[in-house]
Amino acid sequence: MSQDLKRAYHTIMGDHFPERMEIAFVSGGERTVLIYEKVSWVIDGLRQGLRYGENPGQEAALYKLINGNLTLGEVEMIAPGRYLVSDMELLQSGKHPGKTNLTDADNALNILRYLTDRPAAAIMKHNNPSGVALGESLVEAYIKADLADHVAAFGGCIALNRAVDRATAEAIAERYVEVVVAPEYEAGSLGILARRKNLRLLRVGNIGRLSEFAAERFVDFKSLIDGAVIAQLSYLPQVRTRDDLRLAETTYQGQTYRVEREPTEREYEDLLFGWLVEAGVTSNSVLYAKDQVTIGIGAGEQDRVGVAEIAHDKAYRKMADRLAFERHGVISSALEEGARRQIEAEVAEQHGGLVGAVMVSDAFFPFRDGVEVGLREGVS
């Protein structure tokens, strides 16, 4: 990386976006106006907005909805004033956040809004989860999510659905992390996390009511190269409970075929967990999960077989890294050859931890080739 590019990544950028933005929807002479206000933070005595956009050199601004309600058909959009990321408190910044920091935090909450019953952790990297896990405690959930992909979690965004306690703070402080998002930080935890000077600590008060956002929808805008705009309803998973999962059935040449074995209780739990995590993975993806932890995540790819194989390969590599880190304190590639070969043999014997796992995808599977990638490894 050149020195100029390094400097660009560390340049505080004064953007030229206006303080307010209005978007009007007009139908049959009736006009609905959504009014947005620019968000900024006071850092070291200076009021600053987003550091930059997708890349250095791209000015960017964050706006929050402050007025206007929109109803499309029978769908009512989220009302102003119910803020999450757009109204967060920046408790420690080091450097103020950029666009990817906020979209990582937002997509993590997009996953966690469906996982509110137990302590949960979602670690994001470039808008896709590297690891998601539930636990009996917050520190257990975080460690499981971190070890699900220990390499990708480096420099990631950690989102937690419970107040950060000292044990969780100690675990996080051992790693280089860009962002931590939580509803609160218990006494002593901020001091522990402050060891990492450039760590951005965000407090999002509404996380405590995160389950209320599970059914909320908003207008999702996508700009095209010629300035055109696509407006769509935000995605909302229809499968949210065990009863929503239907056993596959089809009729062919007058004969009906059904799945012969119903999932076990554990498989049902993992299927639901995996599907709700899938809501935050780029489309045309495959993930494997077991015991409420992601094992391998293949983010959106061009073909279903390829993404199933990517998730499969990750399961093998990430299990090797997890075992190496738990036993030797380093990832598998840093081990001496003998120790590395021993772990690789163990991973191969256990099929990357895929035996008994579930396989989840939003992709279209017209043939069985994609599914067979998991079946060959013992995915049940």
Side-chain angles (χ1 to χ4, degrees):
M1 186 182 288
S2 70
Q3 290 302 310
D4 287 343
L5 186 54
K6 284 184 178 179
R7 278 195 294 272
Y9 268 102
H10 292 85
T11 298
I12 294 176
M13 184 175 221
D15 70 82
H16 297 87
F17 284 91
E19 294 300 312
R20 286 165 65 95
M21 177 175 68
E22 297 183 3
I23 298 176
F25 289 81
V26 182
S27 178
E30 294 188 8
R31 183 180 176 89
T32 300
V33 181
L34 303 180
I35 302 174
Y36 297 82
E37 184 179 83
K38 191 176 179 181
V39 176
S40 60
W41 305 273
V42 175
I43 302 171
D44 296 331
L46 298 175
R47 182 162 291 279
Q48 300 176 32
L50 286 186
R51 187 174 173 81
Y52 47 73
E54 196 81 30
N55 301 285
Q58 287 181 261
E59 291 190 21
L62 169 66
Y63 290 88
K64 66 180 179 180
L65 179 65
I66 61 169
N67 197 13
N69 292 301
L70 179 65
T71 300
L72 298 175
E74 298 180 356
V75 179
E76 186 173 338
M77 302 299 117
I78 190 167
R82 301 185 60 205
Y83 304 124
L84 285 174
V85 177
S86 65
D87 200 37
M88 66 188 181
E89 293 180 76
L90 196 56
L91 302 182
Q92 174 180 299
S93 61
K95 48 192 177 184
H96 58 303
K99 179 258 186 188
T100 302
N101 297 134
L102 294 191
T103 52
D104 276 349
D106 183 68
N107 201 24
L109 297 182
N110 177 44
I111 294 171
L112 293 183
R113 64 176 168 162
Y114 305 114
L115 305 173
T116 58
D117 293 342
R118 292 169 57 190
I123 304 178
M124 312 299 291
K125 202 69 171 288
H126 298 289
N127 299 328
N128 275 299
S130 62
V132 182
L134 300 179
E136 296 305 314
S137 65
L138 192 65
V139 67
E140 179 189 7
Y142 163 67
I143 290 173
K144 285 182 175 180
D146 177 72
L147 291 177
D149 192 337
H150 194 64
V151 174
F154 184 86
C157 168
I158 301 168
L160 307 162
N161 67 349
R162 300 287 192 274
V164 177
D165 54 24
R166 293 177 66 94
T168 307
E170 289 283 3
I172 293 172
E174 292 177 3
R175 298 270 279 150
Y176 169 64
V177 178
E178 284 272 350
V179 180
V180 176
V181 183
E184 192 52 85
Y185 296 82
E186 293 181 1
S189 63
L190 284 175
I192 295 169
L193 292 168
R195 299 173 194 164
R196 296 285 185 177
K197 300 302 182 184
N198 284 328
L199 173 60
R200 301 170 181 90
L201 298 178
L202 310 180
R203 178 164 57 199
V204 182
N206 270 357
I207 291 184
R209 301 199 306 271
L210 196 56
S211 60
E212 298 175 14
F213 287 81
E216 296 284 3
R217 302 190 87 154
F218 54 88
V219 182
D220 189 12
F221 295 101
K222 169 64 179 176
S223 297
L224 304 185
I225 192 171
D226 62 356
V229 173
I230 295 174
Q232 65 177 357
L233 293 179
S234 61
Y235 173 66
L236 199 63
Q238 298 302 301
V239 174
R240 302 267 297 282
T241 69
R242 171 175 171 162
D243 292 338
D244 297 326
L245 290 168
R246 292 180 295 129
L247 296 177
E249 179 180 307
T250 189
T251 300
Y252 177 68
Q253 294 184 348
Q255 185 172 349
T256 299
Y257 298 86
R258 296 182 179 87
V259 170
E260 293 180 355
R261 182 179 73 81
E262 187 173 350
T264 65
E265 194 65 34
R266 181 189 63 79
E267 288 168 339
Y268 266 122
E269 291 178 357
D270 283 340
L271 284 167
L272 280 172
F273 167 77
W275 181 243
L276 295 173
V277 172
E278 176 72 13
V281 183
T282 306
S283 188
N284 210 46
S285 54
V286 167
L287 66 84
Y288 302 105
K290 186 176 180 181
D291 298 329
Q292 311 287 273
V293 182
T294 55
I295 297 175
I297 300 175
E301 281 288 319
Q302 293 86 345
D303 73 280
R304 67 196 179 280
V305 182
V307 76
E309 290 172 340
I310 287 172
H312 159 279
D313 294 346
K314 280 189 174 184
Y316 272 70
R317 287 187 285 111
K318 305 313 176 183
M319 182 180 180
D321 285 336
R322 175 174 60 80
L323 293 177
F325 187 77
E326 289 175 338
R327 297 172 186 177
H328 306 284
V330 296
I331 60 175
S332 60
S333 61
L335 291 175
E336 293 182 358
E337 184 176 357
R340 187 176 69 253
R341 286 184 179 277
Q342 182 179 354
I343 283 180
E344 288 174 350
E346 187 174 338
V347 170
E349 184 179 352
Q350 297 184 37
H351 295 265
L354 292 171
V355 178
V358 302
M359 180 178 182
V360 175
S361 179
D362 67 339
F364 174 51
F365 281 76
F367 310 109
R368 54 182 293 152
D369 48 5
V371 178
E372 284 180 338
V373 175
L375 291 177
R376 287 194 296 267
E377 301 294 337
V379 168
S380 61

